[in-house]
């Protein structure tokens, strides 16, 4: 009897354990199907802890920016506020923002080059700063002409736009110390911060003659959250291509973009600005003269107004051997403007700021453009003046690449100290010199190529002319004010013109070519649609590295069209590489403003494809007739002279083109006092 009872209890215990196990298994399967990337067992018991963590994190997760007050809306009567567009990625969680800042990209100038690893690419942050109250009305009027507001058709859309937020930042902030160099920096970069950055004062900035800005972090912060993800409706019908090439983002293409997005924290833009809309924004910018009105008159203003009149009424060019008219918006205006720049322009270069962040150019790598420009600008005898009263423009010679290498704290997931450093540098310049205050910085300019430069040049620097490689409309690039700086991969500082040749059209059997790492959300989609799918479309991932990148270079030389898709950010050195190797560039990067957009007609020598049209890429390319392709190839060769770095600057080269675009944009935004 006892033995039978024990057997019965054992059988029931086993049945109970089986039922419990089956229940747990069903719960796990259901949760896995619903949340395949979550930690299932942990999620069963963490509801209370999660709520507690989110409550604490909501007030501490954002970057520390000082004592802030945030007001929403489009009240342009607010005094002293610098208005700026925001990055749509700022609507993401702290974890997402952290992943974005911490992400490393093996740079793509030569995507098969295993030694081309560079440091992080990240999305830009949005900041504002209290400015001089006497120029606030002009800044408020300038806001009305900002890029995204211009293209929105209704007041409701304007109210929802990302640039409808204003931020006050208190200048009195507490010090922070400590930083180290990125371990993936190129050889030759400083291994530690310079002595002037080892300790920090409690002052915000000093006006001493040899002073440098300090780095600060607020002790009292207010969390910032800006959700603009659904603010703008994507324009499905805009673009360079004919309507028959326009494709919906629904269906398989949309699902592939979604799959690609899971691998990166970057998202497709909330609104796509077509090349035609960019052209209209440029026209409106030149017509509006929306720059800040100077606080007091100066003779240089009259000189620039005279130059503007001369450019607008430029005589037609009849015989010009070095300028091929079809590649320009208006070759007559460009030549006249260039002539006046050579004859009139004077630039004052600030001596403030210590190396390496200031006055120390990097001449190789994919960020070399900012370094070569700094080198040539500081050494120039024709344009540079030591009398700021005669200066039409003021140059702030900083390196965004060295700012990142010197100050970014590895694994800190924060660029706050970089941003604050530049904010305090601008504050020191404004306090020490009255030239900044005359125009609120509108006649000052910077040249910066690192991906974080849009964030580093916000705040007071947002009103400057910013020459940026990361020329992304959605993160605040202003067409008609800012300049799109070409990202050029210089492999040899001694020979920046290396690999400067290409095959004639008859020796280009490949229709289209791309090879590179799968950075961002666009490239995986490109590879998924066209990788090993069509013999005419040579679309690869990373190619095996060989000495001199000969395999990659030979593919570009043998291709009619070179595909230039965006990576983590909109810019890519492939565009300039394609021009060097006389391959017609195919730009696939929504909201990217091509280099020297104010003077070059990119539609005449490049193909601009919307990201959503990747499935139809081959049809787009084969629709270009042989006759048209040969002419585009010729134009690529003609435009090549504008993208060359020389050991000593030459007429119409890259140094002069950058300076000209800064001069040109300033002229068309000049306002008499």
């Amino acid at each position: 009897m006892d033995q039978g009872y024990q057997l019965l209890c054992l059988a029931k215990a086993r049945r109970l354990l089986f039922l419990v196990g089956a229940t747990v298994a069903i719960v796990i399967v259901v949760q896995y199907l619903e949340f395949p990337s979550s930690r299932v067992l942990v999620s069963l018991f963490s509801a209370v802890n999660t709520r507690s963590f989110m409550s604490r994190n909501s007030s501490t997760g954002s970057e520390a920016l000082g004592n802030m007050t945030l007001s929403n809306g489009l009240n342009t009567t607010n005094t002293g506020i610098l208005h700026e567009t925001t990055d749509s990625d700022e609507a993401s969680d702290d974890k997402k923002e952290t992943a974005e800042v911490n992400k490393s990209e093996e740079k793509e100038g030569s995507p098969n080059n295993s030694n081309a690893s560079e440091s992080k690419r990240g999305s830009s942050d949005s900041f504002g700063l209290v400015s001089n109250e006497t120029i606030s009305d002009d800044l408020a009027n300038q806001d009305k002409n900002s890029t995204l507001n211009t293209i929105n058709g209704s007041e409701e859309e304007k109210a929802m736009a990302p640039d409808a937020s204003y931020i006050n930042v208190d200048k009195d902030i507490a010090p922070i110390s400590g930083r180290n160099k990125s371990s993936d920096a190129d050889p030759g970069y400083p291994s530690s911060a310079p002595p002037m950055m080892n300790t920090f004062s409690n002052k915000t900035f000093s006006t001493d003659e040899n002073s440098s800005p300090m780095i600060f972090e607020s002790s009292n912060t207010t969390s910032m959250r800006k959700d603009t993800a659904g603010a703008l409706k994507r324009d499905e019908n805009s673009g360079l291509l004919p309507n028959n090439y326009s494709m919906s983002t629904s269906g398989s293409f949309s699902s592939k973009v979604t799959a690609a997005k899971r691998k990166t924290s970057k998202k497709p833009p909330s609104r796509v600005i077509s090349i035609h809309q960019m052209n209209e924004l440029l026209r409106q910018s030149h017509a509006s003269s929306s720059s800040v009105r100077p606080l007091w008159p100066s003779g240089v203003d009259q000189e620039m107004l005279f130059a503007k009149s001369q450019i607008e009424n430029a005589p037609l060019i009849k015989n010009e051997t070095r300028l091929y008219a079809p590649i320009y918006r208006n070759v007559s205006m460009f030549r006249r403007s260039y002539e006046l720049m050579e004859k009139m322009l004077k630039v004052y270069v600030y001596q403030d700021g210590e190396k390496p962040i200031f006055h120390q150019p990097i001449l190789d790598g994919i960020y070399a453009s900012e370094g070569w420009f700094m080198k040539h600008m500081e050494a120039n005898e024709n344009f540079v003046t030591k009398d700021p009263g005669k200066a039409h423009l003021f140059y702030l010679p900083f390196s965004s690449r060295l700012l990142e290498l010197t100050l970014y704290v590895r694994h800190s997931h924060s660029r706050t100290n970089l941003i604050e450093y530049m904010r305090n540098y601008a504050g020191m310049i404004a306090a020490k010199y009255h030239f900044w205050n005359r125009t609120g910085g509108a006649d000052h300019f910077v040249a910066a190529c690192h991906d974080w430069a849009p964030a580093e040049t916000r705040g007071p620097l947002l009103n400057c002319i910013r020459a940026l490689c990361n020329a992304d409309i959605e993160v605040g690039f202003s067409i008609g004010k800012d300049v799109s700086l070409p990202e050029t991969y210089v492999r040899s500082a001694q020979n920046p013109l290396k690999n400067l040749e290409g095959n004639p059209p008859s020796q280009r059997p490949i229709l289209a070519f791309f090879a590179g790492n799968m950075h961002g959300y666009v490239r995986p989609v490109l590879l998924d649609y066209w990788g090993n799918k069509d013999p005419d479309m040579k679309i690869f991932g990373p190619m095996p590295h060989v000495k001199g990148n000969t395999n990659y270079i030979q593919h570009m030389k043998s291709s009619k069209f070179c595909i230039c898709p965006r990576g983590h950010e909109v810019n890519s050195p492939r565009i300039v590489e394609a021009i060097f190797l006389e391959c017609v560039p195919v730009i696939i990067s929504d909201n990217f403003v091509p280099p020297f957009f104010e003077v070059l007609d990119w539609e005449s020598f490049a193909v601009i494809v919307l990201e959503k049209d990747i499935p139809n890429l081959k049809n787009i390319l084969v629709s270009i007739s042989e006759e048209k392709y040969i002419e585009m190839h010729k134009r690529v060769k003609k435009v090549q002279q504008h993208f060359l770095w020389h050991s000593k600057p030459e007429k119409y080269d890259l140094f002069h083109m950058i300076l000209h675009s800064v001069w040109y944009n300033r002229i068309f935004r000049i306002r008499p006092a």
Side-chain angles (χ1 to χ4, degrees):
M1 183 70 178
D2 292 339
Q3 185 176 1
Y5 181 78
Q6 290 176 358
L7 292 173
L8 180 62
C9 290
L10 181 61
K12 290 186 176 182
R14 288 176 178 174
R15 182 179 300 176
L16 180 61
L17 288 173
F18 174 79
L19 291 175
V20 171
T23 302
V24 171
I26 291 172
V27 170
I28 291 175
V29 169
V30 170
Q31 285 215 354
Y32 179 79
L33 292 175
E34 193 168 355
F35 306 105
S37 61
S38 63
R39 297 182 179 181
V40 178
L41 291 176
V42 174
S43 67
L44 294 175
F45 309 104
S46 61
V48 175
N49 290 337
T50 300
R51 178 176 298 179
S52 175
F53 172 79
M54 292 302 291
S55 176
R56 295 194 306 271
N57 195 46
S58 63
S59 62
T60 61
S62 299
E63 294 180 347
L65 303 175
N67 298 328
M68 305 178 189
T69 57
L70 178 66
S71 61
N72 297 319
L74 289 175
N75 181 9
T76 56
T77 62
N78 288 350
T79 60
I81 305 300
L82 281 180
H83 176 99
E84 53 197 87
T85 58
T86 65
D87 184 352
S88 63
D89 286 341
E90 289 182 26
S92 62
D93 296 332
D94 292 326
K95 292 182 180 179
K96 188 172 181 181
E97 183 175 323
T98 293
E100 186 72 26
V101 174
N102 197 38
K103 188 188 305 173
S104 292
E105 176 177 3
E106 289 188 4
K107 289 302 206 166
E108 63 212 31
S110 176
N112 52 314
N113 186 350
S114 60
N115 295 324
S117 177
E118 295 283 354
S119 68
K120 317 223 172 356
R121 287 197 168 208
S123 62
S124 300
D125 296 324
S126 178
F127 300 93
L129 186 72
V130 176
S131 69
N132 194 320
E133 292 186 4
T134 57
I135 63 172
S136 61
D137 291 339
D138 292 299
L139 290 173
N141 292 332
Q142 180 182 350
D143 297 342
K144 299 177 182 178
N145 298 294
S146 61
T147 301
L148 290 177
N149 278 355
T150 304
I151 61 171
N152 289 337
S154 66
E155 291 300 322
E156 180 181 0
E157 288 178 324
K158 292 181 181 180
M160 297 172 65
D163 50 354
S165 299
Y166 301 85
I167 306 170
N168 278 334
V169 181
D170 192 356
K171 295 181 180 179
D172 296 323
I173 44 185
I176 185 174
S177 63
R179 87 282 312 142
N180 50 34
K181 180 176 69 69
S182 299
S183 61
D184 55 351
D186 293 336
Y189 292 141
S191 59
S192 62
M196 69 96 172
M197 296 172 189
N198 289 340
T199 59
F200 301 93
S201 166
N202 288 326
K203 300 182 293 183
T204 55
F205 53 79
S206 168
T207 58
D208 182 74
E209 195 67 32
N210 298 316
S211 65
S212 295
M214 299 302 172
I215 305 164
F216 301 98
E217 185 174 6
S218 172
S219 58
N220 298 314
T221 64
T222 300
S223 169
M224 286 196 311
R225 301 269 181 189
K226 300 176 184 175
D227 191 352
T228 61
L232 298 174
K233 181 180 178 181
R234 186 182 177 99
D235 184 0
E236 298 294 344
N237 297 318
S238 64
L240 168 66
L241 307 170
N243 289 334
N244 58 315
Y245 291 135
S246 185
M247 298 182 64
S248 172
T249 56
S250 62
S252 60
F253 178 72
S254 178
S255 64
K256 290 176 182 180
V257 171
T258 303
K261 282 195 298 179
R262 294 194 187 109
K263 301 178 182 180
T264 175
S265 60
K266 292 294 285 187
K267 302 184 301 181
S270 57
R271 180 180 176 90
V272 177
I273 312 302
S274 72
I275 190 70
H276 299 302
Q277 290 172 312
M278 291 182 189
N279 292 334
E280 178 61 19
L281 289 171
L282 179 65
R283 187 194 67 78
Q284 292 181 12
S285 175
H286 285 177
S288 66
S289 295
S290 57
S291 184
V292 174
R293 189 185 303 274
L295 293 182
W296 61 86
S298 171
V300 297
D301 297 333
Q302 296 304 314
E303 293 173 3
M304 297 192 80
L305 288 170
F306 169 78
K308 180 179 180 181
S309 174
Q310 290 285 303
I311 295 168
E312 291 176 329
N313 298 283
L316 295 177
I317 288 181
K318 295 182 179 179
N319 297 310
E320 174 57 66
T321 57
R322 294 199 58 178
L323 301 179
Y324 188 56
I327 67 175
Y328 303 97
R329 293 180 177 274
N330 187 315
V331 67
S332 300
M333 291 178 64
F334 170 68
R335 189 181 72 167
R336 184 58 178 149
S337 177
Y338 192 95
E339 291 172 347
L340 291 169
M341 177 189 75
E342 288 185 310
K343 181 179 179 180
M344 299 172 55
L345 177 61
K346 295 301 176 185
V347 179
Y348 181 79
V349 180
Y350 284 103
Q351 300 303 308
D352 303 81
E354 297 182 18
K355 294 180 179 180
I357 296 174
F358 300 89
H359 314 290
Q360 182 168 310
I362 297 176
L363 303 180
D364 58 5
I366 66 170
Y367 303 115
S369 286
E370 67 179 23
W372 278 93
F373 181 82
M374 183 192 302
K375 175 181 182 291
H376 289 328
M377 189 74 259
E378 292 199 304
N380 193 278
E381 297 180 355
N382 180 43
F383 295 116
V384 173
T385 178
K386 296 188 180 299
D387 182 358
K390 296 180 179 179
H392 305 90
L393 294 167
F394 295 79
Y395 174 48
L396 305 168
F398 95 100
S399 167
S400 59
R401 171 60 167 159
L402 282 171
L403 178 67
E404 179 262 336
L405 285 175
T406 307
L407 296 187
Y408 177 69
V409 181
R410 290 279 291 173
H411 310 301
S412 67
H413 316 310
S414 173
R415 293 163 291 155
T416 303
N417 58 331
L418 284 69
I419 295 163
E420 288 298 319
Y421 185 87
M422 291 307 299
R423 184 190 303 277
N424 289 310
Y425 173 77
M428 179 268 292
I429 292 293
K432 185 175 179 180
Y433 303 99
H434 68 278
F435 320 118
W436 174 285
N437 297 321
R438 194 179 81 88
T439 64
D443 52 2
H444 288 55
F445 72 98
V446 297
C449 202
H450 194 271
D451 298 336
W452 294 352
E456 295 159 358
T457 56
R458 287 185 179 272
L461 291 172
L462 187 66
N463 201 39
C464 295
I465 300 170
R466 303 181 301 164
L468 302 173
C469 289
N470 190 2
D472 186 348
I473 290 178
E474 197 171 55
V475 297
F477 185 90
S478 178
I479 292 178
K481 178 182 78 71
D482 297 330
V483 173
S484 180
L485 182 65
E487 186 173 32
T488 56
Y489 189 177
V490 178
R491 292 175 174 81
S492 171
Q494 291 71 38
N495 182 19
L497 301 182
K498 190 177 180 179
N499 295 325
L500 187 64
E501 60 179 353
N503 297 337
S506 60
Q507 298 178 24
R508 294 179 176 269
I510 302 172
L511 176 65
F513 166 69
F514 167 81
N517 293 312
M518 294 294 104
H519 303 309
Y521 62 87
V522 169
R523 297 183 192 180
V525 175
L526 177 68
L527 186 66
D528 189 58
Y529 269 103
W530 295 109
N532 298 317
K533 301 291 178 63
D534 191 305
D536 295 328
M537 306 285 287
K538 303 296 184 183
I539 309 297
F540 309 113
M543 299 182 75
H545 177 62
V546 295
K547 186 176 181 180
N549 305 308
T550 54
N551 191 21
Y552 176 77
I553 291 173
Q554 286 303 318
H555 270 80
M556 293 192 81
K557 287 184 176 181
S558 302
S559 301
K560 290 181 170 63
F561 300 96
C562 289
I563 311 301
C564 307
R566 62 171 292 158
H568 290 311
E569 303 296 339
V570 294
N571 48 304
S572 168
R574 276 185 180 79
I575 298 172
V576 176
E577 277 188 333
I579 293 173
F580 277 12
L581 299 173
E582 300 171 11
C583 182
V584 175
V586 179
I587 302 173
I588 308 178
S589 181
D590 289 351
N591 294 343
F592 172 61
V593 181
F596 312 132
F597 185 72
E598 49 282 321
V599 295
L600 295 180
D601 181 10
W602 277 84
E603 295 171 89
S604 72
F605 59 87
V607 182
I608 301 176
V609 177
L610 296 177
E611 294 168 7
K612 67 185 180 66
D613 288 327
I614 288 176
N616 211 30
L617 182 58
K618 183 178 181 180
N619 288 339
I620 294 168
L621 298 180
V622 298
S623 70
I624 298 173
S625 67
E626 185 68 16
E627 181 181 6
K628 182 178 179 181
Y629 165 73
I630 292 174
E631 176 61 22
M632 294 181 75
H633 179 268
K634 177 182 178 181
R635 295 177 184 184
V636 169
K637 293 182 66 174
K638 294 292 186 180
V639 82
Q640 193 180 79
Q641 66 171 326
H642 296 319
F643 292 87
L644 306 180
W645 288 116
H646 298 95
S647 297
K648 185 178 180 180
E650 297 182 8
K651 192 178 182 71
Y652 296 129
D653 71 355
L654 189 47
F655 167 72
H656 286 98
M657 287 296 291
I658 295 171
L659 189 60
H660 173 267
S661 284
V662 174
W663 151 268
Y664 193 81
N665 281 359
R666 175 58 184 156
I667 279 181
F668 278 93
R669 292 172 64 84
I670 190 70
R671 297 180 67 184

